[in-house]
Tab-separated table of all heavy atoms in Angstrom:
chain	number	residue	atom	x	y	z
V	1	MET	N	94.200	134.589	253.255
V	1	MET	CA	95.096	134.158	254.301
V	1	MET	C	95.946	135.350	254.736
V	1	MET	O	96.409	136.121	253.918
V	1	MET	CB	96.002	133.039	253.797
V	1	MET	CG	97.030	132.674	254.837
V	1	MET	SD	98.491	131.761	254.301
V	1	MET	CE	97.871	130.307	253.587
V	2	ILE	N	96.155	135.429	256.026
V	2	ILE	CA	97.018	136.460	256.600
V	2	ILE	C	98.192	135.751	257.261
V	2	ILE	O	98.005	134.776	257.994
V	2	ILE	CB	96.279	137.305	257.651
V	2	ILE	CG1	95.094	138.028	256.991
V	2	ILE	CG2	97.231	138.292	258.312
V	2	ILE	CD1	94.216	138.749	257.964
V	3	ARG	N	99.387	136.224	256.996
V	3	ARG	CA	100.551	135.646	257.659
V	3	ARG	C	101.511	136.747	258.068
V	3	ARG	O	101.533	137.826	257.467
V	3	ARG	CB	101.247	134.611	256.796
V	3	ARG	CG	101.975	135.167	255.613
V	3	ARG	CD	102.679	134.070	254.854
V	3	ARG	NE	103.487	134.670	253.819
V	3	ARG	CZ	104.111	134.013	252.894
V	3	ARG	NH1	104.030	132.710	252.874
V	3	ARG	NH2	104.826	134.619	252.001
V	4	GLN	N	102.275	136.457	259.067
V	4	GLN	CA	103.238	137.413	259.589
V	4	GLN	C	104.466	137.442	258.698
V	4	GLN	O	104.973	136.393	258.286
V	4	GLN	CB	103.636	137.029	261.010
V	4	GLN	CG	104.508	138.033	261.689
V	4	GLN	CD	104.789	137.635	263.126
V	4	GLN	OE1	104.478	136.551	263.563
V	4	GLN	NE2	105.381	138.542	263.874
V	5	LYS	N	104.930	138.639	258.391
V	5	LYS	CA	106.126	138.795	257.578
V	5	LYS	C	107.346	138.400	258.405
V	5	LYS	O	107.522	138.847	259.526
V	5	LYS	CB	106.260	140.238	257.122
V	5	LYS	CG	107.412	140.482	256.187
V	5	LYS	CD	107.419	141.925	255.714
V	5	LYS	CE	108.578	142.180	254.802
V	5	LYS	NZ	108.591	143.566	254.321
V	6	VAL	N	108.194	137.545	257.836
V	6	VAL	CA	109.395	137.082	258.517
V	6	VAL	C	110.601	137.702	257.828
V	6	VAL	O	110.755	137.587	256.615
V	6	VAL	CB	109.490	135.537	258.464
V	6	VAL	CG1	110.763	135.058	259.106
V	6	VAL	CG2	108.275	134.906	259.115
V	7	GLN	N	111.436	138.363	258.612
V	7	GLN	CA	112.657	138.953	258.075
V	7	GLN	C	113.711	137.851	257.908
V	7	GLN	O	113.988	137.122	258.850
V	7	GLN	CB	113.197	140.035	259.015
V	7	GLN	CG	112.293	141.227	259.162
V	7	GLN	CD	112.168	142.022	257.878
V	7	GLN	OE1	113.060	142.019	257.042
V	7	GLN	NE2	111.061	142.690	257.713
V	8	PRO	N	114.276	137.707	256.727
V	8	PRO	CA	115.312	136.699	256.553
V	8	PRO	C	116.578	137.062	257.331
V	8	PRO	O	116.918	138.234	257.470
V	8	PRO	CB	115.582	136.702	255.049
V	8	PRO	CG	115.154	138.054	254.595
V	8	PRO	CD	114.031	138.484	255.525
V	9	ILE	N	117.236	136.039	257.823
V	9	ILE	CA	118.495	136.230	258.529
V	9	ILE	C	119.599	135.872	257.531
V	9	ILE	O	119.824	134.708	257.256
V	9	ILE	CB	118.608	135.284	259.747
V	9	ILE	CG1	117.389	135.389	260.640
V	9	ILE	CG2	119.881	135.540	260.520
V	9	ILE	CD1	117.287	134.276	261.653
V	10	GLU	N	120.235	136.844	256.962
V	10	GLU	CA	121.321	136.569	256.026
V	10	GLU	C	122.609	137.067	256.644
V	10	GLU	O	122.736	138.233	256.962
V	10	GLU	CB	121.045	137.230	254.684
V	10	GLU	CG	119.840	136.638	253.990
V	10	GLU	CD	119.633	137.220	252.609
V	10	GLU	OE1	120.620	137.669	252.003
V	10	GLU	OE2	118.495	137.215	252.167
V	11	ARG	N	123.532	136.148	256.823
V	11	ARG	CA	124.749	136.500	257.527
V	11	ARG	C	125.886	135.605	257.064
V	11	ARG	O	125.671	134.494	256.629
V	11	ARG	CB	124.516	136.328	259.021
V	11	ARG	CG	125.682	136.732	259.844
V	11	ARG	CD	125.366	136.765	261.305
V	11	ARG	NE	126.622	137.028	261.972
V	11	ARG	CZ	126.893	136.707	263.197
V	11	ARG	NH1	126.001	136.121	263.930
V	11	ARG	NH2	128.058	136.975	263.726
V	12	THR	N	127.100	136.098	257.229
V	12	THR	CA	128.301	135.329	256.957
V	12	THR	C	129.099	135.245	258.249
V	12	THR	O	129.248	136.238	258.957
V	12	THR	CB	129.142	136.006	255.861
V	12	THR	OG1	128.357	136.117	254.676
V	12	THR	CG2	130.388	135.211	255.562
V	13	ILE	N	129.603	134.058	258.556
V	13	ILE	CA	130.440	133.870	259.739
V	13	ILE	C	131.819	133.414	259.273
V	13	ILE	O	131.943	132.409	258.573
V	13	ILE	CB	129.842	132.828	260.712
V	13	ILE	CG1	128.491	133.315	261.243
V	13	ILE	CG2	130.805	132.551	261.865
V	13	ILE	CD1	127.765	132.305	262.120
V	14	ASP	N	132.836	134.155	259.654
V	14	ASP	CA	134.226	133.800	259.363
V	14	ASP	C	134.677	132.813	260.434
V	14	ASP	O	134.859	133.186	261.595
V	14	ASP	CB	135.096	135.051	259.375
V	14	ASP	CG	136.562	134.772	259.109
V	14	ASP	OD1	136.920	133.602	258.840
V	14	ASP	OD2	137.348	135.721	259.172
V	15	THR	N	134.868	131.557	260.046
V	15	THR	CA	135.226	130.534	261.028
V	15	THR	C	136.661	130.657	261.527
V	15	THR	O	137.023	129.996	262.490
V	15	THR	CB	135.007	129.113	260.466
V	15	THR	OG1	135.819	128.923	259.310
V	15	THR	CG2	133.543	128.893	260.123
V	16	THR	N	137.463	131.526	260.884
V	16	THR	CA	138.833	131.723	261.361
V	16	THR	C	138.919	132.858	262.378
V	16	THR	O	139.966	133.098	262.953
V	16	THR	CB	139.797	132.015	260.192
V	16	THR	OG1	139.412	133.227	259.552
V	16	THR	CG2	139.795	130.867	259.195
V	17	GLY	N	137.810	133.554	262.579
V	17	GLY	CA	137.774	134.667	263.526
V	17	GLY	C	137.118	134.257	264.834
V	17	GLY	O	136.806	133.083	265.059
V	18	PRO	N	136.886	135.222	265.701
V	18	PRO	CA	136.329	134.920	267.027
V	18	PRO	C	134.912	134.335	266.984
V	18	PRO	O	134.527	133.610	267.893
V	18	PRO	CB	136.339	136.269	267.743
V	18	PRO	CG	136.463	137.289	266.681
V	18	PRO	CD	137.170	136.631	265.536
V	19	ASP	N	134.154	134.633	265.927
V	19	ASP	CA	132.810	134.071	265.817
V	19	ASP	C	132.822	132.626	265.325
V	19	ASP	O	131.774	131.985	265.280
V	19	ASP	CB	131.951	134.913	264.869
V	19	ASP	CG	131.632	136.283	265.429
V	19	ASP	OD1	131.664	136.433	266.671
V	19	ASP	OD2	131.353	137.189	264.635
V	20	GLY	N	133.998	132.132	264.970
V	20	GLY	CA	134.093	130.787	264.424
V	20	GLY	C	134.512	129.730	265.418
V	20	GLY	O	134.634	128.559	265.065
V	21	ASN	N	134.725	130.119	266.684
V	21	ASN	CA	135.087	129.075	267.644
V	21	ASN	C	133.846	128.257	267.987
V	21	ASN	O	132.712	128.670	267.773
V	21	ASN	CB	135.769	129.658	268.896
V	21	ASN	CG	134.818	130.379	269.813
V	21	ASN	OD1	133.897	129.790	270.363
V	21	ASN	ND2	135.052	131.672	270.004
V	22	ALA	N	134.056	127.053	268.501
V	22	ALA	CA	132.966	126.106	268.727
V	22	ALA	C	131.881	126.685	269.628
V	22	ALA	O	130.686	126.536	269.356
V	22	ALA	CB	133.517	124.806	269.308
V	23	PHE	N	132.278	127.347	270.702
V	23	PHE	CA	131.297	127.889	271.639
V	23	PHE	C	130.427	128.963	270.976
V	23	PHE	O	129.210	129.003	271.185
V	23	PHE	CB	131.988	128.451	272.879
V	23	PHE	CG	132.704	127.404	273.674
V	23	PHE	CD1	134.083	127.398	273.738
V	23	PHE	CD2	132.013	126.409	274.354
V	23	PHE	CE1	134.767	126.438	274.467
V	23	PHE	CE2	132.679	125.438	275.085
V	23	PHE	CZ	134.056	125.455	275.146
V	24	ALA	N	131.042	129.829	270.178
V	24	ALA	CA	130.293	130.889	269.498
V	24	ALA	C	129.330	130.304	268.467
V	24	ALA	O	128.193	130.764	268.327
V	24	ALA	CB	131.255	131.875	268.830
V	25	LEU	N	129.768	129.264	267.752
V	25	LEU	CA	128.900	128.647	266.753
V	25	LEU	C	127.726	127.916	267.400
V	25	LEU	O	126.607	127.952	266.886
V	25	LEU	CB	129.706	127.690	265.871
V	25	LEU	CG	130.665	128.366	264.895
V	25	LEU	CD1	131.572	127.345	264.233
V	25	LEU	CD2	129.882	129.151	263.845
V	26	ILE	N	127.978	127.263	268.532
V	26	ILE	CA	126.889	126.590	269.248
V	26	ILE	C	125.881	127.612	269.753
V	26	ILE	O	124.665	127.424	269.635
V	26	ILE	CB	127.439	125.710	270.384
V	26	ILE	CG1	128.188	124.513	269.793
V	26	ILE	CG2	126.326	125.255	271.319
V	26	ILE	CD1	128.994	123.726	270.802
V	27	LYS	N	126.376	128.707	270.289
V	27	LYS	CA	125.477	129.777	270.767
V	27	LYS	C	124.671	130.345	269.605
V	27	LYS	O	123.458	130.562	269.723
V	27	LYS	CB	126.268	130.873	271.457
V	27	LYS	CG	125.383	131.990	271.964
V	27	LYS	CD	126.163	133.014	272.732
V	27	LYS	CE	125.295	134.205	272.949
V	27	LYS	NZ	124.912	134.599	274.159
V	28	ALA	N	125.332	130.596	268.485
V	28	ALA	CA	124.630	131.121	267.312
V	28	ALA	C	123.573	130.126	266.832
V	28	ALA	O	122.449	130.518	266.499
V	28	ALA	CB	125.623	131.419	266.188
V	29	ALA	N	123.911	128.853	266.827
V	29	ALA	CA	122.966	127.830	266.374
V	29	ALA	C	121.730	127.784	267.261
V	29	ALA	O	120.608	127.685	266.758
V	29	ALA	CB	123.645	126.462	266.335
V	30	THR	N	121.915	127.858	268.562
V	30	THR	CA	120.750	127.820	269.451
V	30	THR	C	119.900	129.085	269.290
V	30	THR	O	118.672	129.009	269.345
V	30	THR	CB	121.161	127.616	270.919
V	30	THR	OG1	122.090	128.622	271.312
V	30	THR	CG2	121.803	126.255	271.130
V	31	THR	N	120.547	130.212	269.061
V	31	THR	CA	119.811	131.462	268.830
V	31	THR	C	119.001	131.383	267.543
V	31	THR	O	117.808	131.704	267.515
V	31	THR	CB	120.774	132.661	268.774
V	31	THR	OG1	121.467	132.758	270.015
V	31	THR	CG2	120.034	133.960	268.499
V	32	TYR	N	119.645	130.958	266.456
V	32	TYR	CA	118.948	130.848	265.174
V	32	TYR	C	117.843	129.799	265.239
V	32	TYR	O	116.773	129.985	264.679
V	32	TYR	CB	119.919	130.529	264.043
V	32	TYR	CG	120.929	131.616	263.795
V	32	TYR	CD1	122.270	131.313	263.592
V	32	TYR	CD2	120.561	132.961	263.753
V	32	TYR	CE1	123.205	132.304	263.375
V	32	TYR	CE2	121.489	133.955	263.535
V	32	TYR	CZ	122.803	133.622	263.338
V	32	TYR	OH	123.728	134.610	263.118
V	33	ALA	N	118.104	128.690	265.925
V	33	ALA	CA	117.092	127.641	266.061
V	33	ALA	C	115.850	128.203	266.752
V	33	ALA	O	114.718	127.963	266.311
V	33	ALA	CB	117.652	126.461	266.837
V	34	HIS	N	116.067	128.957	267.813
V	34	HIS	CA	114.940	129.565	268.530
V	34	HIS	C	114.155	130.504	267.617
V	34	HIS	O	112.923	130.473	267.586
V	34	HIS	CB	115.453	130.311	269.761
V	34	HIS	CG	114.387	131.044	270.509
V	34	HIS	ND1	113.415	130.396	271.239
V	34	HIS	CD2	114.124	132.368	270.623
V	34	HIS	CE1	112.599	131.293	271.761
V	34	HIS	NE2	113.015	132.501	271.409
V	35	GLN	N	114.870	131.323	266.841
V	35	GLN	CA	114.221	132.276	265.944
V	35	GLN	C	113.431	131.573	264.846
V	35	GLN	O	112.414	132.079	264.379
V	35	GLN	CB	115.254	133.210	265.309
V	35	GLN	CG	115.887	134.170	266.282
V	35	GLN	CD	117.008	134.981	265.662
V	35	GLN	OE1	117.424	134.746	264.528
V	35	GLN	NE2	117.524	135.934	266.415
V	36	LEU	N	113.903	130.394	264.437
V	36	LEU	CA	113.263	129.662	263.347
V	36	LEU	C	112.277	128.601	263.834
V	36	LEU	O	111.681	127.888	263.036
V	36	LEU	CB	114.336	129.001	262.478
V	36	LEU	CG	115.277	129.970	261.763
V	36	LEU	CD1	116.445	129.219	261.139
V	36	LEU	CD2	114.517	130.761	260.710
V	37	GLY	N	112.127	128.474	265.153
V	37	GLY	CA	111.197	127.497	265.710
V	37	GLY	C	111.712	126.075	265.654
V	37	GLY	O	110.930	125.128	265.613
V	38	LEU	N	113.030	125.905	265.653
V	38	LEU	CA	113.645	124.578	265.633
V	38	LEU	C	114.046	124.163	267.043
V	38	LEU	O	114.096	124.987	267.951
V	38	LEU	CB	114.883	124.586	264.725
V	38	LEU	CG	114.657	125.009	263.275
V	38	LEU	CD1	115.988	125.118	262.546
V	38	LEU	CD2	113.728	124.035	262.572
V	39	ASP	N	114.372	122.895	267.221
V	39	ASP	CA	114.796	122.366	268.523
V	39	ASP	C	116.283	122.646	268.724
V	39	ASP	O	117.144	121.887	268.272
V	39	ASP	CB	114.504	120.871	268.601
V	39	ASP	CG	114.807	120.271	269.956
V	39	ASP	OD1	115.320	120.984	270.846
V	39	ASP	OD2	114.525	119.071	270.133
V	40	GLY	N	116.596	123.729	269.397
V	40	GLY	CA	117.978	124.143	269.615
V	40	GLY	C	118.778	123.157	270.435
V	40	GLY	O	119.969	122.952	270.178
V	41	ASP	N	118.142	122.506	271.410
V	41	ASP	CA	118.854	121.529	272.236
V	41	ASP	C	119.288	120.323	271.422
V	41	ASP	O	120.395	119.807	271.593
V	41	ASP	CB	117.988	121.088	273.418
V	41	ASP	CG	117.779	122.193	274.430
V	41	ASP	OD1	118.642	123.090	274.529
V	41	ASP	OD2	116.741	122.166	275.125
V	42	ALA	N	118.436	119.872	270.515
V	42	ALA	CA	118.778	118.724	269.665
V	42	ALA	C	119.908	119.082	268.698
V	42	ALA	O	120.824	118.287	268.481
V	42	ALA	CB	117.556	118.243	268.898
V	43	ILE	N	119.852	120.284	268.142
V	43	ILE	CA	120.905	120.727	267.226
V	43	ILE	C	122.221	120.873	267.982
V	43	ILE	O	123.279	120.442	267.507
V	43	ILE	CB	120.502	122.039	266.528
V	43	ILE	CG1	119.308	121.789	265.607
V	43	ILE	CG2	121.675	122.636	265.753
V	43	ILE	CD1	118.680	123.039	265.027
V	44	LYS	N	122.165	121.434	269.184
V	44	LYS	CA	123.372	121.588	270.012
V	44	LYS	C	123.980	120.224	270.319
V	44	LYS	O	125.198	120.043	270.205
V	44	LYS	CB	123.012	122.315	271.306
V	44	LYS	CG	124.165	122.482	272.258
V	44	LYS	CD	123.710	123.193	273.526
V	44	LYS	CE	124.811	123.275	274.551
V	44	LYS	NZ	124.375	123.944	275.780
V	45	ALA	N	123.163	119.261	270.692
V	45	ALA	CA	123.661	117.915	270.997
V	45	ALA	C	124.298	117.275	269.770
V	45	ALA	O	125.354	116.630	269.869
V	45	ALA	CB	122.528	117.037	271.521
V	46	GLU	N	123.680	117.469	268.613
V	46	GLU	CA	124.232	116.923	267.372
V	46	GLU	C	125.566	117.581	267.042
V	46	GLU	O	126.511	116.921	266.600
V	46	GLU	CB	123.219	117.141	266.247
V	46	GLU	CG	123.575	116.458	264.957
V	46	GLU	CD	122.541	116.689	263.863
V	46	GLU	OE1	121.473	117.281	264.131
V	46	GLU	OE2	122.834	116.289	262.719
V	47	MET	N	125.662	118.888	267.275
V	47	MET	CA	126.906	119.606	267.004
V	47	MET	C	128.024	119.131	267.929
V	47	MET	O	129.183	119.043	267.525
V	47	MET	CB	126.701	121.112	267.167
V	47	MET	CG	125.843	121.743	266.090
V	47	MET	SD	125.480	123.483	266.397
V	47	MET	CE	127.026	124.239	265.900
V	48	MET	N	127.686	118.825	269.173
V	48	MET	CA	128.685	118.435	270.166
V	48	MET	C	129.039	116.944	270.105
V	48	MET	O	129.926	116.500	270.832
V	48	MET	CB	128.177	118.791	271.565
V	48	MET	CG	128.029	120.285	271.772
V	48	MET	SD	127.307	120.730	273.353
V	48	MET	CE	128.575	120.162	274.482
V	49	ALA	N	128.388	116.192	269.238
V	49	ALA	CA	128.591	114.747	269.174
V	49	ALA	C	129.861	114.339	268.430
V	49	ALA	O	130.174	113.152	268.362
V	49	ALA	CB	127.382	114.080	268.524
V	50	GLY	N	130.583	115.291	267.883
V	50	GLY	CA	131.785	114.952	267.130
V	50	GLY	C	132.836	116.029	267.251
V	50	GLY	O	132.833	116.828	268.186
V	51	ASP	N	133.720	116.063	266.263
V	51	ASP	CA	134.801	117.042	266.264
V	51	ASP	C	134.335	118.358	265.623
V	51	ASP	O	133.150	118.529	265.309
V	51	ASP	CB	136.023	116.478	265.537
V	51	ASP	CG	135.753	116.119	264.072
V	51	ASP	OD1	134.645	116.398	263.575
V	51	ASP	OD2	136.656	115.565	263.430
V	52	TYR	N	135.280	119.272	265.430
V	52	TYR	CA	134.952	120.596	264.892
V	52	TYR	C	134.383	120.500	263.478
V	52	TYR	O	133.459	121.247	263.132
V	52	TYR	CB	136.199	121.487	264.915
V	52	TYR	CG	135.938	122.915	264.494
V	52	TYR	CD1	135.267	123.794	265.341
V	52	TYR	CD2	136.365	123.392	263.266
V	52	TYR	CE1	135.021	125.109	264.965
V	52	TYR	CE2	136.131	124.703	262.878
V	52	TYR	CZ	135.463	125.562	263.735
V	52	TYR	OH	135.220	126.861	263.365
V	53	ASP	N	134.913	119.577	262.662
V	53	ASP	CA	134.377	119.407	261.316
V	53	ASP	C	132.917	118.965	261.359
V	53	ASP	O	132.097	119.404	260.550
V	53	ASP	CB	135.213	118.414	260.511
V	53	ASP	CG	136.568	118.976	260.116
V	53	ASP	OD1	136.688	120.212	259.987
V	53	ASP	OD2	137.513	118.181	259.944
V	54	ASN	N	132.586	118.081	262.297
V	54	ASN	CA	131.197	117.671	262.479
V	54	ASN	C	130.341	118.866	262.879
V	54	ASN	O	129.231	119.044	262.368
V	54	ASN	CB	131.098	116.574	263.546
V	54	ASN	CG	129.662	116.238	263.874
V	54	ASN	OD1	128.956	115.637	263.077
V	54	ASN	ND2	129.219	116.630	265.059
V	55	LEU	N	130.849	119.678	263.795
V	55	LEU	CA	130.126	120.854	264.253
V	55	LEU	C	129.797	121.769	263.071
V	55	LEU	O	128.660	122.217	262.927
V	55	LEU	CB	130.973	121.594	265.296
V	55	LEU	CG	130.365	122.828	265.939
V	55	LEU	CD1	130.690	122.840	267.420
V	55	LEU	CD2	130.867	124.085	265.296
V	56	LEU	N	130.774	122.014	262.201
V	56	LEU	CA	130.549	122.852	261.025
V	56	LEU	C	129.529	122.224	260.082
V	56	LEU	O	128.655	122.909	259.545
V	56	LEU	CB	131.854	123.100	260.276
V	56	LEU	CG	132.913	123.935	260.980
V	56	LEU	CD1	134.176	124.016	260.126
V	56	LEU	CD2	132.393	125.324	261.308
V	57	SER	N	129.639	120.931	259.898
V	57	SER	CA	128.729	120.221	259.009
V	57	SER	C	127.289	120.286	259.507
V	57	SER	O	126.359	120.551	258.740
V	57	SER	CB	129.178	118.766	258.861
V	57	SER	OG	128.280	118.045	258.060
V	58	VAL	N	127.094	120.050	260.789
V	58	VAL	CA	125.754	120.105	261.378
V	58	VAL	C	125.198	121.529	261.276
V	58	VAL	O	124.037	121.725	260.910
V	58	VAL	CB	125.769	119.617	262.843
V	58	VAL	CG1	124.437	119.868	263.523
V	58	VAL	CG2	126.147	118.150	262.912
V	59	PHE	N	126.028	122.513	261.594
V	59	PHE	CA	125.605	123.912	261.484
V	59	PHE	C	125.161	124.213	260.059
V	59	PHE	O	124.098	124.795	259.836
V	59	PHE	CB	126.753	124.840	261.899
V	59	PHE	CG	126.345	126.281	262.024
V	59	PHE	CD1	126.031	126.819	263.258
V	59	PHE	CD2	126.270	127.107	260.907
V	59	PHE	CE1	125.637	128.151	263.385
V	59	PHE	CE2	125.885	128.428	261.018
V	59	PHE	CZ	125.573	128.961	262.259
V	60	ASP	N	125.969	123.800	259.093
V	60	ASP	CA	125.656	124.061	257.694
V	60	ASP	C	124.392	123.324	257.255
V	60	ASP	O	123.587	123.871	256.499
V	60	ASP	CB	126.839	123.672	256.810
V	60	ASP	CG	126.676	124.167	255.390
V	60	ASP	OD1	126.378	125.369	255.211
V	60	ASP	OD2	126.834	123.360	254.450
V	61	ASN	N	124.197	122.101	257.726
V	61	ASN	CA	122.999	121.344	257.370
V	61	ASN	C	121.725	122.048	257.834
V	61	ASN	O	120.719	122.041	257.132
V	61	ASN	CB	123.038	119.934	257.960
V	61	ASN	CG	124.012	119.036	257.249
V	61	ASN	OD1	124.408	119.295	256.122
V	61	ASN	ND2	124.428	117.978	257.913
V	62	HIS	N	121.776	122.641	259.015
V	62	HIS	CA	120.582	123.273	259.573
V	62	HIS	C	120.393	124.725	259.139
V	62	HIS	O	119.257	125.184	259.006
V	62	HIS	CB	120.611	123.198	261.104
V	62	HIS	CG	120.389	121.820	261.630
V	62	HIS	ND1	119.152	121.234	261.684
V	62	HIS	CD2	121.259	120.900	262.106
V	62	HIS	CE1	119.253	120.013	262.182
V	62	HIS	NE2	120.534	119.795	262.448
V	63	PHE	N	121.491	125.448	258.940
V	63	PHE	CA	121.390	126.889	258.710
V	63	PHE	C	122.075	127.362	257.433
V	63	PHE	O	122.185	128.568	257.199
V	63	PHE	CB	121.972	127.654	259.908
V	63	PHE	CG	121.381	127.223	261.212
V	63	PHE	CD1	122.137	126.468	262.109
V	63	PHE	CD2	120.070	127.533	261.545
V	63	PHE	CE1	121.596	126.044	263.312
V	63	PHE	CE2	119.517	127.110	262.741
V	63	PHE	CZ	120.279	126.365	263.629
V	64	GLY	N	122.541	126.438	256.609
V	64	GLY	CA	123.289	126.779	255.393
V	64	GLY	C	122.524	127.612	254.383
V	64	GLY	O	123.126	128.307	253.567
V	65	ASP	N	121.196	127.570	254.452
V	65	ASP	CA	120.396	128.372	253.514
V	65	ASP	C	120.400	129.853	253.857
V	65	ASP	O	120.148	130.697	252.989
V	65	ASP	CB	118.949	127.880	253.502
V	65	ASP	CG	118.810	126.500	252.889
V	65	ASP	OD1	119.717	126.082	252.141
V	65	ASP	OD2	117.787	125.845	253.157
V	66	ILE	N	120.688	130.176	255.113
V	66	ILE	CA	120.615	131.580	255.542
V	66	ILE	C	121.927	132.123	256.083
V	66	ILE	O	122.092	133.324	256.194
V	66	ILE	CB	119.508	131.782	256.598
V	66	ILE	CG1	119.715	130.860	257.786
V	66	ILE	CG2	118.139	131.622	256.000
V	66	ILE	CD1	118.782	131.092	258.939
V	67	ILE	N	122.866	131.222	256.414
V	67	ILE	CA	124.149	131.640	256.970
V	67	ILE	C	125.266	130.972	256.196
V	67	ILE	O	125.281	129.748	256.032
V	67	ILE	CB	124.253	131.302	258.460
V	67	ILE	CG1	123.154	132.015	259.220
V	67	ILE	CG2	125.628	131.680	259.017
V	67	ILE	CD1	122.889	131.482	260.570
V	68	THR	N	126.214	131.758	255.740
V	68	THR	CA	127.369	131.236	255.010
V	68	THR	C	128.553	131.165	255.965
V	68	THR	O	128.879	132.150	256.628
V	68	THR	CB	127.718	132.166	253.820
V	68	THR	OG1	126.583	132.262	252.982
V	68	THR	CG2	128.907	131.636	253.060
V	69	LEU	N	129.164	129.990	256.041
V	69	LEU	CA	130.367	129.810	256.839
V	69	LEU	C	131.579	129.965	255.922
V	69	LEU	O	131.687	129.266	254.910
V	69	LEU	CB	130.396	128.428	257.499
V	69	LEU	CG	129.312	128.141	258.511
V	69	LEU	CD1	129.416	126.702	259.008
V	69	LEU	CD2	129.404	129.099	259.689
V	70	GLU	N	132.472	130.875	256.273
V	70	GLU	CA	133.707	131.056	255.508
V	70	GLU	C	134.829	130.374	256.260
V	70	GLU	O	135.013	130.607	257.448
V	70	GLU	CB	134.023	132.541	255.339
V	70	GLU	CG	133.037	133.276	254.475
V	70	GLU	CD	133.376	134.737	254.293
V	70	GLU	OE1	134.094	135.292	255.163
V	70	GLU	OE2	132.907	135.337	253.316
V	71	VAL	N	135.569	129.523	255.555
V	71	VAL	CA	136.677	128.794	256.182
V	71	VAL	C	138.007	129.252	255.624
V	71	VAL	O	138.110	129.783	254.564
V	71	VAL	CB	136.543	127.265	255.992
V	71	VAL	CG1	135.361	126.770	256.780
V	71	VAL	CG2	136.408	126.876	254.554
């Protein structure tokens, strides 16, 4: 079997800084979803369906294995 090597995306996002605002996190989620072959529109809709805590929770559920959110 031959498969393409995938570079892991390991990153930390400080939610108290400029990358932690809702718009930046939604943009990051859609970017990561695209890179991972996930449905970015569905994830974005789920993130926007509640408050900021919901947004963080949804982000962590989908990307918590590769991205650490610091609060």
